[in-house]
Amino acid sequence: MDHGADHTMSHDGPAGTSWATAAKATLHCLTGCAIGEILGMAIGTALLWGNVPTMVLAIALAFLFGYSFTLFAVRRAGLDLGSAIKVALAADTVSIAVMELVDNAVIALTPGAMEAELSDGLFWWALLGGFVIAFVITVPVNKWMIGRGKGHAVVHAHH
């Protein structure tokens, strides 16, 4: 997946990695997480599942979609399936985990959000607000990781 022209990164530390590179990597991660999270929350809420099974489904789908975006991109770049899976796991695990932890904490801590219906504005505000907060917190994590040749830095080697 192309993250723009800013593919230069240093392995000397976070100062060698631009905030733009970290933001692009985080936005890539957020896209997959958001699709999975929204789908999982919508399915669990529509089926009248309890909070725990709904969150488990949402988190599982967030990881699935997050990994899938990277997996498809590196497969298109020519990696075999086994290598592509390793790259996707290395690139996205920490980023998705941080994003999911923050996003789900926001949802869980927003009064009434877990009981809200799909037609309730509170449901969507808590979910989208959680994504915004998760993005803001995850960008510095990704900046730090990319600056050390970890996380999304492993994807850039295959572009």
Side-chain angles (χ1 to χ4, degrees):
M1 188 161 225
D2 186 12
H3 296 290
D6 187 9
H7 288 283
T8 59
M9 52 189 83
S10 165
H11 299 286
D12 298 330
T17 302
S18 75
W19 284 103
T21 297
K24 288 173 189 174
T26 306
L27 187 58
H28 169 264
C29 177
L30 177 64
T31 303
C33 287
I35 291 169
E37 184 89 15
I38 290 169
L39 187 60
M41 290 291 208
I43 290 169
T45 302
L47 295 176
L48 303 175
W49 288 1
N51 292 344
V52 172
T54 297
M55 288 183 98
V56 168
L57 177 63
I59 292 167
L61 290 176
F63 272 92
L64 178 70
F65 279 91
Y67 286 140
S68 295
F69 281 14
T70 298
L71 182 68
F72 292 136
V74 295
R75 287 283 289 147
R76 276 195 315 269
L79 260 65
D80 64 89
L81 183 59
S83 297
I85 289 170
K86 289 177 186 174
V87 167
L89 291 172
D92 294 331
T93 299
V94 172
S95 184
I96 295 171
V98 170
M99 195 158 295
E100 284 303 298
L101 177 69
V102 173
D103 178 53
N104 283 286
V106 169
I107 294 167
L109 295 173
T110 301
M114 291 302 297
E115 292 77 31
E117 302 282 328
L118 288 175
S119 59
D120 191 344
L122 178 61
F123 174 87
W124 295 103
W125 280 111
L127 189 60
L128 298 177
F131 290 143
V132 169
I133 295 167
F135 179 83
V136 169
I137 291 173
T138 308
V139 168
V141 172
N142 281 332
K143 185 178 188 307
W144 181 82
M145 288 177 35
I146 293 167
R148 284 159 180 70
K150 307 288 183 200
H152 250 264
V154 300
V155 173
H156 290 277
H158 300 287
H159 284 273

